[in-house]
Amino acid sequence: MVAGARILVVEDDAAINRVVCSYLEKAGAMCTAAFSGTEGLMHLAGGAGMGAASAAVAGAPGSGASGAAGASGDFHLVVTDLMLPGMPGEEVVGAARAAGLPVVVLSARTAVADRVDLLRIGADDYLTKPFDLEELLARCEAVLRRSTSTARAASVPSPSAGAVAPPLRFGAWELDEAARRFAAAGIPVRLTRTEYEIVRALMAEPRRVHTKRSLSAAAAGDEVALEDKTVATHIGNIRAKLRPSGTEDYLETVWGVGFKLRDGV
């Protein structure tokens, strides 16, 4: 659920911004509206007074909650367009990721290369315009649940006093679940949250053929599954990040089924 979540909505189209904020606020979220990339970055930096200015521009019912969230710059989720005045949406995504915030991107770009780029820069999910508000809400809920479960897992101590689970290893790969770090041939590999969950699922059962649906469930952790093409895009991004280590061929495609780790490693 998004109830109680503080969400930054960065969208230069005032009508779309107003509708998105209103719909999310009806579900219990507290939204801050920003109308340019520059304004979005100022909110993420905790710019004082920005929330009130955004609410005034939005002029939407329920925008009082928006002002409250913006003053502190403390958010749980960022929803952003890409084609923004001032700073581009990619800059907003980068700033949100640097702050450890999950991001849902709204974009009119539909080409596969564009979707790959979105996921590569750190977007947790995306919707192409025009989009359904109910689906946007469901995806925001899914991303927030993944973010919450990840934070909870990182903060919960091991059930065995002082015990630390050994890292998962496969060939030259090593995944340290306690530190949430992944390395290939000794080279640290920076993965997005979704990429990390996919790699962890593959390494936990290295001899299994994982369907796109099962990897989607492992990454999403709930009923709102990633699209098959989104899973494939994440796999492509993981392979690209593995090339410097020479281990990208560990990931094998099982056509018509999904993915597995290579035998004989």
Side-chain angles (χ1 to χ4, degrees):
M1 300 296 290
V2 299
R6 294 184 294 276
I7 303 175
L8 174 62
V9 179
V10 190
E11 166 62 65
D12 62 314
D13 186 310
I16 294 177
N17 199 319
R18 184 180 302 116
V19 168
V20 168
C21 286
S22 178
Y23 194 84
L24 294 177
E25 286 176 353
K26 285 179 181 177
M30 295 177 288
C31 294
T32 296
F35 298 88
S36 70
T38 304
E39 188 179 358
L41 290 176
M42 292 180 70
H43 278 300
L44 290 172
M50 291 301 297
S54 297
V57 176
S63 57
S66 301
S72 68
D74 184 15
F75 301 100
H76 298 110
L77 173 68
V78 176
V79 176
T80 184
D81 189 13
L82 289 182
M83 299 179 67
L84 297 167
M87 293 288 185
E90 288 85 350
E91 294 288 335
V92 176
V93 174
R97 298 304 301 175
L101 295 174
V103 184
V104 174
V105 168
L106 308 177
S107 175
R109 303 175 188 173
T110 59
V112 173
D114 290 326
R115 295 198 300 267
V116 170
D117 288 342
L118 287 179
L119 296 171
R120 189 164 286 157
I121 64 176
D124 291 271
D125 206 345
Y126 64 86
L127 281 174
T128 55
K129 295 180 179 180
F131 56 86
D132 183 85
L133 287 169
E134 187 175 357
E135 183 178 5
L136 172 62
L137 174 61
R139 291 189 179 276
C140 286
E141 289 174 339
V143 168
L144 284 167
R145 277 194 290 268
R146 294 201 297 269
S147 178
T148 301
S149 63
T150 298
R152 186 182 298 120
S155 64
V156 174
S158 170
S160 301
V164 177
L168 293 175
R169 291 187 173 87
F170 181 82
W173 290 3
E174 180 175 292
L175 187 143
D176 186 337
E177 295 187 80
R180 292 190 69 82
R181 294 195 187 98
F182 175 64
I187 303 171
V189 180
R190 293 191 63 179
L191 301 174
T192 66
R193 182 181 294 104
T194 302
E195 291 166 359
Y196 176 89
E197 296 300 339
I198 289 173
V199 170
R200 181 168 65 173
L202 289 165
M203 293 182 70
E205 299 180 86
R207 300 309 173 197
R208 171 186 171 186
V209 175
H210 297 257
T211 65
K212 291 178 181 178
R213 184 180 295 273
S214 69
L215 289 176
S216 172
D222 51 51
E223 70 279 5
V224 182
L226 302 174
E227 297 178 10
D228 282 359
K229 60 185 178 183
T230 305
V231 173
T233 300
H234 281 299
I235 291 288
N237 290 341
I238 294 167
R239 282 180 172 139
K241 293 179 179 182
L242 289 169
R243 286 195 187 104
S245 69
T247 63
E248 71 274 14
D249 62 348
Y250 281 17
L251 286 167
E252 289 190 342
T253 300
V254 181
W255 295 107
V257 181
F259 303 93
K260 65 183 291 289
L261 295 184
R262 195 183 78 201
D263 293 332
V265 172

